């Protein structure tokens, strides 16, 4: 009998209200070690708002979020800053790309590696051997991550000059640089063509295995979601209306009617 994997994140009944508008209501989910879960639903369903609560940007009006770091220590996400959560092991990308456009691709990744430096301000000020060792470590790791996404050849280009699809990949590489155990991907395939989306599917599956990651992703490309996710959570107007395997969600009458197309199960264009 297979042993149940370690619990990594637990959200219990989280809700958030903005000026009387309940954007998310009673959202609960659990993420276990190594899982790849998709969060789907129409525009305005509250998906990014959920991510903002899980990553510490928003504080839930109600409910609790608990995260277990790689050492098994328990943390209340509600009481942590986004920077602190990143150091504990939660990294994310954004629906709208948030790179440092005037920095090179390599420097965008190096920024995320500063938390791994062994040196201190004294080492930086006096350029000690430890400072140069840190610089070599960050350069090598940044180039390795860029190579993983096929953009190492553009390490010295400004991020704003990269093609859109490569900017998406750079943002994921930067998130991985922080060494997370939980990666939140907010529409990673947005704006990509079918070939780029296929490549991204393979890369997400690879980094999940290579870095022993748990991944929670928001995505409107149903081919990507159905192709790589083991479990789906469906939101509508801030509430969970369905959950389960891709096959179970695909067959759920409410989901089929609202998001996937006609009642006969043929896919439509309502998830966009």
């Amino acid at each position: 009998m297979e042993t149940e994997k370690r619990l990594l994140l637990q959200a219990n009944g989280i809700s958030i209200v903005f000026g009387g508008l309940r954007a998310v209501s009673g959202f609960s989910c659990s993420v276990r070690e190594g899982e790849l879960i998709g969060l789907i639903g129409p525009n305005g369903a509250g998906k990014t708002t959920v991510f903002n609560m899980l990553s510490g940007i928003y504080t839930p009006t109600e409910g609790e979020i608990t995260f277990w770091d790689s050492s098994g220590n328990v943390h209340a996400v509600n009481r942590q800053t986004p920077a602190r959560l990143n150091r504990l092991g939660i990294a994310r990308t954004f629906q709208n790309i948030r790179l440092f456009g005037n920095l090179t691709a390599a420097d965008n990744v190096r920024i995320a590696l500063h938390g791994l430096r062994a040196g201190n301000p004294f080492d930086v000020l006096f350029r000690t051997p430890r400072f140069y060792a840190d610089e070599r470590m960050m350069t090598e790791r940044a180039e390795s991550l860029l190579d993983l996404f096929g953009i190492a050849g553009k390490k010295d280009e400004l991020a704003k000059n990269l093609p859109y699809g490569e900017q998406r990949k750079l943002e994921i590489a930067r998130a991985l640089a922080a060494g997370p155990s939980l990666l939140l991907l907010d529409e990673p395939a947005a704006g990509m063509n079918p070939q780029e989306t296929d490549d991204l599917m393979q890369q997400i599956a690879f980094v999940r295995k290579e870095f022993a990651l748990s991944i929670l992703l928001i995505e409107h490309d149903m081919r990507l979601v159905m192709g790589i996710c083991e479990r789906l959570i469906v939101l509508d107007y801030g509430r969970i209306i369905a959950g389960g395997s891709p096959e179970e969600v695909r067959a759920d009458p409410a989901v089929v009617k609202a998001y996937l197309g006609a009642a006969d199960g043929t896919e439509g264009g309502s998830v966009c």
Side-chain angles (χ1 to χ4, degrees):
M1 184 175 178
E2 187 178 348
T3 304
E4 192 172 42
K5 293 182 179 178
R6 182 176 71 91
L7 190 62
L8 198 63
L9 180 120
Q10 179 73 53
N12 288 319
I14 58 173
S15 304
I16 192 164
V17 178
F18 298 109
L21 172 66
R22 185 170 285 264
V24 174
S25 183
F27 179 89
S28 296
C29 77
S30 61
V31 181
R32 293 189 176 275
E33 211 167 33
E35 281 195 298
L36 204 170
I37 303 170
L39 182 60
I40 66 172
N43 289 328
K47 304 181 298 296
T48 295
T49 301
V50 168
F51 265 30
N52 287 340
M53 289 190 283
L54 298 182
S55 58
I57 295 174
Y58 293 161
T59 300
T61 307
E62 303 167 3
E64 293 288 334
I65 307 169
T66 306
F67 177 70
W68 287 261
D69 64 26
S70 57
S71 299
N73 299 315
V74 183
H75 305 273
V77 170
N78 313 45
R79 293 187 283 275
Q80 307 290 339
T81 64
R84 172 65 176 161
L85 289 171
N86 185 259
R87 290 193 293 272
L88 290 173
I90 300 177
R92 70 167 295 181
T93 64
F94 292 85
Q95 184 176 354
N96 299 313
I97 294 174
R98 298 188 184 182
L99 296 170
F100 297 100
N102 290 318
L103 294 181
T104 66
D107 282 342
N108 265 271
V109 179
R110 281 167 54 89
I111 283 173
L113 289 164
H114 273 269
L116 303 179
R117 296 177 69 103
N120 55 41
F122 176 88
D123 296 302
V124 176
L125 183 62
F126 293 100
R127 296 297 195 266
T128 67
R130 187 157 54 178
F131 165 80
Y132 288 108
D134 281 339
E135 289 295 301
R136 285 193 300 273
M137 176 274 293
M138 291 194 299
T139 297
E140 290 170 1
R141 289 201 183 192
E143 292 181 359
S144 176
L145 285 166
L146 292 174
D147 185 57
L148 183 65
F149 287 91
I151 52 177
K154 298 185 177 181
K155 65 179 181 178
D156 295 322
E157 289 194 28
L158 297 182
K160 66 182 181 182
N161 294 335
L162 294 175
Y164 184 83
E166 292 181 352
Q167 290 187 33
R168 282 280 176 194
K169 292 178 180 180
L170 177 57
E171 193 174 37
I172 298 174
R174 185 178 63 182
L176 288 174
S181 53
L182 175 61
L183 180 62
L184 309 177
L185 300 176
D186 194 345
E187 296 193 35
M192 290 186 172
N193 62 42
Q195 181 59 54
E196 289 173 329
T197 299
D198 286 343
D199 292 342
L200 183 66
M201 283 176 61
Q202 295 176 20
Q203 287 167 334
I204 290 174
F206 174 78
V207 298
R208 172 201 181 193
K209 182 177 180 181
E210 183 73 10
F211 293 89
L213 286 172
S214 298
I215 299 175
L216 181 59
L217 69 87
I218 295 171
E219 188 50 66
H220 286 301
D221 189 314
M222 298 310 296
R223 188 166 59 91
L224 186 152
V225 167
M226 296 293 179
I228 65 174
C229 292
E230 301 161 335
R231 182 158 59 93
L232 299 177
I233 301 170
V234 188
L235 276 181
D236 188 22
Y237 294 105
R239 294 180 179 273
I240 295 176
I241 64 165
S245 70
E247 294 75 20
E248 291 170 334
V249 168
R250 183 188 292 273
D252 188 294
V255 177
V256 171
K257 182 178 179 180
Y259 307 121
L260 298 183
D264 61 2
T266 57
E267 288 193 3
S270 57
V271 181
C272 61

